Structures are given as C-alpha cells and as structure tokens.
Amino acid sequence: PTFRSALAADYKANRAPMPPDLAEQVPWVHEACAALGVPVLTYENYEADDVIGTLATRAASESLEVVIVTGDKDFFQLVGGSIRVFNPREPGTWYDAEGVKEKFGVTPSQVVDVLSLMGDAIDNVKGVPGIGEKGARTLISEHGSLDALLAHADDLKQRKYRTALQTHAETA
C-alpha cells in the first residue's frame, strides 16, 4: 500500500497482483544487487516511480545528467534540463524535451494535464469519459493547460468534449 491507496481506495484496483513466481524473485534481485554494490532504495508507502522521480529531480538540481530507463510515459513529465528518458522497448530512442513533444504531442510540463484528461486504466485513474489520448493531447495543445481548458470548457466547439468537461471537471 502507498499514500495513493489512502487517497483512493480503488487505486490500481484493475491491476492484477504480481505473479507469485515473480514476487519470489524480488528478494533475490535485491541480494544480487547488494552483492554487486548496487544500491536498492525502497521507502514505505511510496512506489518505485515516486523514488525514481525524487532521485531524478534531486540529481538534476545538483547539475547531474540523469537518464530514466523506462517505457512508462508518466516519466515524460520529468524530462527537461538534464533529465532524459530512454525507452528500452524502442532501442536507440532517447527522449529529451523535443523528443517528448514529438512522441507525445505536448511538452513535458503538459504531460500531467494530458494524463489527467485521458486517465490511466492500469492505475484505475478515471480521467474524463469520452476524452481519450488523442483528444487529450489536442485539447491541451490548443489550450496550454488543464486549468485553461477547464476555464474555457463552455466555449469548446465540439459538444462531446464540452459536455464531458462540464460534467467531469472535478474528475480531471
């Protein structure tokens, strides 16, 4: 359990539990890392993503070059300055701020707004019904931020988006 579980009881409710054969390997990986001198950092009530994000931003604030190796698009919001993402599923693909814009359609600072609109089925984050990834990217690109979009929701030409945002602004 993490602090997010306390905020929303249904957080990650759609995610299947870790397979037992994988769960039993985690301590072995920790032992192997310790034997090789590789630090393993865990913090109670926090997910690995929280630890990674904290370490990345702290290292960047110390003017260190940071690479986050992940296929998780959530980390695009941290890209910028000395923080880049390398996706091992896309060999040779490194994401700097321009790469995020090219791949995800918005700047790193806008990623969280897109994710707020589209939701995340894996984490059971609802988002706004009727606004998928493409619509979220378009709306945030056009309005700049979720706050600006919500402030002008009544003026949207596309009725589907206008109604969805009027009805589900709090969800976003």
Side-chain angles (χ1 to χ4, degrees), residues 64-83:
L64 295 171
E65 293 291 319
V66 177
V67 175
I68 302 171
V69 180
T70 182
D72 187 343
K73 65 184 173 283
D74 292 357
F75 282 102
F76 281 164
Q77 65 191 294
L78 298 178
V79 170
S82 64
I83 300 177

Side-chain angles (χ1 to χ4, degrees), residues 51-67:
V51 176
I52 293 166
T54 299
L55 291 173
T57 54
R58 285 185 182 173
S61 74
E62 298 290 326
S63 301
L64 295 171
E65 293 291 319
V66 177
V67 175

Side-chain angles (χ1 to χ4, degrees), residues 83-167:
I83 300 177
R84 297 182 298 154
V85 165
F86 175 75
N87 185 342
R89 293 184 189 135
E90 300 172 10
T93 305
W94 293 78
Y95 292 99
D96 57 9
E98 192 55 42
V100 169
K101 176 118 172 120
E102 188 177 311
K103 171 78 173 179
F104 204 65
V106 295
T107 65
S109 65
Q110 294 172 311
V111 167
V112 70
D113 291 340
V114 169
L115 296 173
S116 296
L117 286 174
M118 63 184 262
D120 186 342
I122 293 172
D123 289 342
N124 203 30
V125 175
K126 302 288 187 242
V128 176
I131 300 181
E133 186 170 339
K134 184 178 176 186
R137 289 177 182 186
T138 300
L139 289 167
I140 296 302
S141 291
E142 290 174 356
H143 294 273
S145 71
L146 179 60
D147 290 337
L149 173 63
L150 292 174
H152 295 97
D154 294 342
D155 304 326
L156 291 175
K157 293 177 185 161
Q158 196 166 0
R159 188 168 130 307
K160 174 180 142 180
Y161 291 157
R162 184 176 60 244
T163 302
L165 287 166
Q166 290 167 335
T167 307

Side-chain angles (χ1 to χ4, degrees), residues 18-38:
M18 184 183 297
D21 57 337
L22 178 59
E24 77 178 30
Q25 295 176 45
V26 172
W28 298 341
V29 171
H30 288 192
E31 285 180 37
C33 287
L36 294 169
V38 176

